[in-house]
Amino acid sequence: MLKILFFGDVSGEPGRKAVKKALPQLLASENPDVVLANVDNLAHGKGITVKTLEELIRAGVMGFTSGNHGFSKKELSEEAFKKHPELVVRPANIPNTYPGQTAAKIATKKGTLLLGHFLGQVFMENQFHDPISSPFAAVDQWLIENQTADMVATVIDFHAEATSEKKAFGYYLDGKVSAVLGTHTHIPTADAKILPEGTAYLTDVGMCGAADSVLGVRKEQSLRRFLSNEYMSFDIPEDAKQAELTYVIIEVDETTKKAINIKANYEIISL
Ligand SMILES: [Fe+2]
């Protein structure tokens, strides 16, 4: 049995602190074979950098997915995708002019895990210079190009807003991959289950980030944007004393590559 630990969107410094604080205990109590994390908002709420990524690599995270903000730090983000291409996956349905890999093949004690990542199209603000193509069309080709018989599990992070699109994508991949995990909304959902053909599914894993916040950003700024209707940039409350910590644990039978258990977790921890 292959045990996978996946953290929801790690948001800014409070999120990184939460993962670094919780991971040693989780490694001891859960003994996962592989640790994965979504890092769309890793560096001060938008995108990744080498420095922030390497903080989590040192903490024990073995594979990363990004999202609509993955390249928000421009050259700094591109540098991180280029420096760790074997660990960090960018969405497969954005233009191929972006650097980085669309699949990671992660070695575990039980065999190789394939990690993939797609963006939804519904209600998603496009941060890229060309349209996001259909994830449904893209994933078929991606599976042909990347999935091989020797792999023990395939995990897909579907970074999307609309719950309907996420559920549909889960059913589309049921039986073809071991898990479809939703990210992006920062709010965990209570619908973890195994689909009929053996794919573990969760609409959204949630966020690792400041607890007293709106989706990880300063609540006062979010409120002002709603109340005034004016654009205002968001900051991460780096002085947060508590964090939401969300993660999912999936067990996969490495002979059938089907999931046998999924459990979603939500905790508030002190930083
Ligand atoms: Fe996102």
Side-chain angles (χ1 to χ4, degrees):
M1 184 195 66
L2 177 80
K3 199 169 193 182
I4 301 160
L5 169 59
F6 185 107
F7 287 106
D9 299 37
V10 184
S11 295
E13 187 173 354
R16 301 196 303 276
K17 277 187 189 166
V19 169
K20 287 189 287 184
K21 182 167 185 188
L23 192 48
Q25 282 169 291
L26 285 169
L27 292 174
S29 61
E30 299 291 343
N31 196 23
D33 296 294
V34 60
V35 180
L36 308 171
N38 178 284
V39 288
D40 189 35
N41 309 108
L42 189 67
H44 204 69
K46 282 188 175 178
I48 59 172
T49 59
V50 169
K51 176 181 165 287
T52 52
L53 198 65
E54 291 184 348
E55 265 186 55
L56 294 194
I57 292 170
R58 283 194 295 275
V61 183
M62 299 158 69
F64 302 89
T65 49
S66 52
N68 55 316
H69 286 300
F71 292 96
S72 288
K73 294 283 186 288
K74 299 193 167 56
E75 293 81 10
L76 288 175
S77 294
E78 293 189 4
E79 186 188 353
F81 278 96
K82 286 175 185 166
K83 184 162 182 199
H84 295 290
E86 75 290 0
L87 302 182
V88 194
V89 183
R90 70 158 171 82
N93 55 332
I94 63 171
N96 273 331
T97 46
Y98 283 92
Q101 302 292 316
T102 61
K105 291 154 191 170
I106 299 167
T108 79
K109 295 191 296 278
K110 312 278 172 60
T112 302
L113 176 141
L114 177 64
L115 178 63
H117 179 33
F118 295 82
L119 287 182
Q121 292 178 299
V122 180
F123 305 143
M124 290 294 278
E125 188 188 1
N126 189 2
Q127 310 280 339
F128 303 98
H129 53 61
D130 283 310
I132 300 164
S133 65
S134 165
F136 295 87
V139 74
D140 287 334
Q141 188 61 30
W142 183 89
L143 286 168
I144 291 167
E145 288 173 5
N146 294 291
Q147 201 177 43
T148 55
D150 58 310
M151 291 168 174
V152 293
T154 302
V155 174
I156 302 289
D157 172 348
F158 189 41
H159 198 78
E161 181 75 32
T163 49
S164 56
E165 188 181 23
K166 289 161 113 168
K167 292 217 79 159
F169 200 60
Y171 279 112
Y172 189 69
L173 289 173
D174 187 17
K176 299 175 188 166
V177 303
S178 312
V180 175
L181 303 174
T183 57
H184 177 64
T185 72
H186 291 202
I187 300 295
T189 56
D191 61 341
K193 62 180 172 181
I194 310 277
L195 300 179
E197 302 300 325
T199 295
Y201 174 82
L202 177 62
T203 297
D204 207 294
V205 185
M207 168 189 78
C208 300
D212 191 22
S213 74
V214 176
L215 308 185
V217 305
R218 288 197 185 278
K219 60 182 186 288
E220 298 82 3
Q221 294 171 333
S222 176
L223 273 168
R224 269 170 57 189
R225 198 191 274 191
F226 281 110
L227 292 172
S228 70
N229 243 341
E230 284 171 21
Y231 177 80
M232 123 159 341
S233 61
F234 289 150
D235 276 321
I236 297 288
E238 291 181 340
D239 53 351
K241 301 284 184 284
Q242 291 189 310
E244 294 184 6
L245 180 80
T246 64
Y247 57 94
V248 60
I249 292 176
I250 302 148
E251 293 170 316
V252 175
D253 179 335
E254 63 265 44
T255 55
T256 64
K257 303 168 193 181
K258 291 180 189 287
I260 46 181
N261 197 29
I262 176 168
K263 185 171 186 303
N265 299 272
Y266 172 90
E267 300 168 21
I268 303 285
I269 66 166
S270 298
L271 295 176

